[in-house]
Amino acid sequence: MNLPEASSHSVLANAKSLVPRIIPRAEHGISRKNISNGALRVLYRLHEAGFQAFLVGGAVRDLLLGGRPKDFDVATNATPEQTRALFRNCRLIGRRFRLAHVVFGREIVEVATFRGIGEEGDGDRHVVDGRILRDNVYGGIEEDAIRRDFTINALYYDIADFSVRDYVGGIVDLQQRSLRLIGDPEQRYREDPVRMLRAARLSAKLDFAISEEAEAPIRALAPLLADVAPARLFDESLKLFLSGHGLESLRRLHSLDLLGQICPATARALEGPNRERFGRLLGHSFLSTDERVQNDRPVTPAFLFSALLWEPVRSEAERLLGEGYEHANAWSVAVERILHQQATRIAIPKRFAMAMEEIWLLQPRFELRQRKRVMRLLAHPRFRAAYDFLVLRSHEEPELCEQVQWWTEAQGMSAHDLSESLAVPSPARSEDAPAGKRKRPRRRKRKAGSAAGGAETATQIPGE
């Protein structure tokens, strides 16, 4: 079957005339055994109520590629209100796109009504400068297909006969491992600039090539991301960096000039004098995070963003020191400035930002070996994250290896043995001096020395 070119405006104008390529159950590898129980219950109930019901999007794509999706989305001709009437465990969300979420314990099945093509002013549709701000215009499955972003995300699994429907050539693109936009790429990116980030993320996740026409406008249109809500960019950054393919996503963002739009300080540092050292640090950090995700181990955005912004913070602190700032003040101001700059692009929640600050500020304390300071640091709730970050830094800063070894051994010692190992012999003292006159001056001297030493060490920039 010959489909019209997806980039042609005639596809949009003649959506209802599109004839799908239908792949019967015997010719594709999707099995209901690999679809979640919640998604199957939603599909069957909609179908039994007389509505069309399709599994759609990334779930169909991943199932056809032999993967196991974590999320399952459903498309239907039922309105959100009609969907809610069928499920007591359903809630309606969204202003930009009205959606139904059907909740089964920890699983949420997202149900969307087929989108229509309508122009601005049709129904509930609002467009500003080419960007779709609100869009609740409903249509048929053909219109819904061409409203989706990439061809490989516009494949529909029909619960009525277990076939797969393809309206825009997604099956061919899956076979060719090509990421191709539906419609005119520039127009689609202007409608929603986040699609540029999705192109980088999907190409990294699937190891697909972005088609030439889809990649061509990205660098020129990248500044449009500055108009996207920072909170939305944080959600998108989690998908980019914490889904098991973060390192490749970072590389593709950088090569497409998109990294500078979401992490400008990081992009500048990767072009700065310490770019090789910083690049290796990010490589170790993202590779470790990817391995943890793939092994179902917990990860936190705080650690990854600490790595992403480490070189910008250190460089800013060094610059302030050169201007005559006192060490502690330079470090504090550098942290504040970089976090403030980053917040204008990605709204990092406060709980993660505070953890990042603690990870950074604990780094100089690893240099201190006084007994009380060591015990307090080991008991700090953020010790493990800070220690892991120290280990990460040691890959590119060999002078930190001794610190890493010492703190690794300290964690394996009992509190008593560690305390004994940290006991410092008293300096030689005169046998002729009365005992009472010996202790007080020494005690005051020891406190003063400890305070001075603490101030001197705590203000040192990590990695100097």
Side-chain angles (χ1 to χ4, degrees), residues 230-231 234-235 238 301-302 305 346-356:
F234 175 74
D235 292 338
L238 298 187
F305 277 103
I346 294 179
I348 302 174
K350 187 176 181 180
R351 66 184 184 278
F352 297 133
M354 291 179 65
M356 292 161 59

Side-chain angles (χ1 to χ4, degrees), residues 151-206:
T151 60
I152 60 173
N153 289 341
L155 298 168
Y156 297 77
Y157 175 78
D158 191 348
I159 198 63
D161 59 7
F162 316 123
S163 65
V164 172
R165 294 192 185 189
D166 177 12
Y167 291 86
V168 290
I171 291 293
V172 173
D173 288 334
L174 273 183
Q175 294 168 345
Q176 297 179 351
R177 306 186 69 81
S178 175
L179 198 61
R180 186 165 56 90
L181 272 167
I182 301 169
D184 177 63
E186 181 170 345
Q187 178 185 345
R188 303 311 303 276
Y189 290 144
R190 288 188 181 278
E191 287 176 353
D192 186 0
V194 169
R195 286 183 177 133
M196 292 182 280
L197 299 181
R198 289 184 188 143
R201 174 168 61 85
L202 287 175
S203 65
K205 174 184 177 179
L206 304 172

Side-chain angles (χ1 to χ4, degrees), residues 10 60-61 84 94 107 110 150 176 188 231 243 260 264 266 269 278 310 317 327 335 350 393 428 437 442 444:
S10 63
V60 179
R61 175 199 71 214
R84 182 170 58 180
E107 181 186 6
E110 186 171 279
F150 299 99
Q176 297 179 351
R188 303 311 303 276
S243 298
T266 302
F278 185 40
W310 171 249
H327 276 200
V335 169
K350 187 176 181 180
R393 291 173 54 209
K437 294 183 180 180
R442 282 183 179 151
R444 284 197 295 267

Side-chain angles (χ1 to χ4, degrees), residues 308-379:
L308 277 167
L309 297 175
W310 171 249
E311 187 62 35
V313 167
R314 177 160 54 183
S315 297
E316 179 66 8
E318 291 174 350
R319 188 186 69 79
L320 293 173
L321 285 169
E323 293 181 0
Y325 276 67
E326 188 268 332
H327 276 200
N329 196 30
W331 181 248
S332 177
V333 171
V335 169
E336 181 180 356
R337 285 183 180 177
I338 296 302
L339 284 178
H340 176 74
Q341 292 172 13
Q342 184 58 55
T344 63
R345 297 303 178 95
I346 294 179
I348 302 174
K350 187 176 181 180
R351 66 184 184 278
F352 297 133
M354 291 179 65
M356 292 161 59
E357 290 186 48
E358 289 183 306
I359 289 172
W360 288 329
L361 294 173
L362 287 179
Q363 297 304 300
R365 291 176 57 178
F366 286 108
E367 299 177 13
L368 307 178
R369 305 286 173 84
Q370 293 91 344
R371 181 163 46 192
K372 289 184 179 180
R373 291 177 181 271
V374 167
M375 296 303 183
R376 283 200 297 266
L377 182 53
L378 284 169

Side-chain angles (χ1 to χ4, degrees), residues 11-312:
V11 175
L12 298 176
N14 301 296
K16 293 184 179 180
S17 65
L18 287 177
V19 178
R21 174 184 175 183
I22 298 179
I23 300 93
R25 173 64 187 91
E27 297 180 17
H28 66 73
I30 296 180
S31 169
R32 280 168 289 170
K33 294 179 181 179
N34 296 325
I35 301 175
S36 73
N37 289 331
L40 287 174
R41 289 169 67 180
V42 170
L43 289 167
Y44 279 123
R45 188 172 298 181
L46 285 168
H47 177 63
E48 291 165 0
F51 297 106
Q52 292 179 297
F54 298 87
L55 194 66
V56 69
V60 179
R61 175 199 71 214
D62 292 346
L63 287 169
L64 288 171
L65 290 173
R68 286 185 172 270
K70 292 184 178 180
D71 301 310
F72 294 88
D73 297 337
V74 171
T76 179
N77 60 346
T79 66
E81 291 73 20
Q82 289 171 325
T83 299
R84 182 170 58 180
L86 291 174
F87 300 93
R88 291 183 301 173
N89 53 330
C90 176
R91 62 175 182 265
L92 302 187
I93 67 162
R95 293 177 54 191
R96 185 170 180 267
F97 296 112
R98 196 72 165 157
L99 300 168
H101 276 184
V102 185
V103 183
F104 299 95
R106 299 181 63 180
E107 181 186 6
I108 297 177
V109 179
E110 186 171 279
V111 182
T113 306
F114 295 144
R115 302 294 178 191
I117 297 175
E119 300 294 336
E120 182 178 7
D122 292 350
D124 187 15
R125 194 166 203 252
H126 185 45
V127 181
V128 174
D129 296 331
R131 288 185 299 130
I132 299 177
L133 301 183
R134 187 172 64 253
D135 187 5
N136 290 303
V137 177
Y138 303 134
I141 187 173
E142 298 87 358
E143 295 171 276
D144 187 77
I146 61 174
R147 283 290 311 280
R148 295 184 177 272
D149 48 11
F150 299 99
T151 60
I152 60 173
N153 289 341
L155 298 168
Y156 297 77
Y157 175 78
D158 191 348
I159 198 63
D161 59 7
F162 316 123
S163 65
V164 172
R165 294 192 185 189
D166 177 12
Y167 291 86
V168 290
I171 291 293
V172 173
D173 288 334
L174 273 183
Q175 294 168 345
Q176 297 179 351
R177 306 186 69 81
S178 175
L179 198 61
R180 186 165 56 90
L181 272 167
I182 301 169
D184 177 63
E186 181 170 345
Q187 178 185 345
R188 303 311 303 276
Y189 290 144
R190 288 188 181 278
E191 287 176 353
D192 186 0
V194 169
R195 286 183 177 133
M196 292 182 280
L197 299 181
R198 289 184 188 143
R201 174 168 61 85
L202 287 175
S203 65
K205 174 184 177 179
L206 304 172
D207 193 23
F208 277 26
I210 302 176
S211 68
E212 183 177 349
E213 63 272 17
E215 182 178 340
I218 287 180
R219 292 171 181 82
L221 298 179
L224 293 176
L225 287 166
D227 298 325
V228 178
R232 188 178 177 209
L233 287 182
F234 175 74
D235 292 338
E236 195 64 30
S237 71
L238 298 187
K239 298 176 185 177
L240 281 159
F241 299 145
L242 296 179
S243 298
H245 46 83
L247 180 57
E248 187 58 33
S249 293
L250 181 69
R251 289 171 176 160
R252 302 208 181 199
L253 288 174
H254 189 50
S255 67
L256 292 169
D257 293 340
L258 292 172
L259 183 62
Q261 300 302 321
I262 60 174
C263 295
T266 302
R268 288 195 299 270
L270 285 172
E271 300 297 330
N274 297 321
R275 58 184 175 274
E276 292 185 5
R277 180 182 68 188
F278 185 40
R280 290 193 296 269
L281 178 97
L282 291 181
H284 283 296
S285 177
F286 276 78
L287 183 60
S288 173
T289 300
D290 288 347
E291 290 175 349
R292 291 181 69 89
V293 171
Q294 291 161 9
N295 293 325
D296 293 324
R297 299 176 64 189
V299 294
T300 171
F303 189 85
L304 207 56
F305 277 103
S306 293
L308 277 167
L309 297 175
W310 171 249
E311 187 62 35

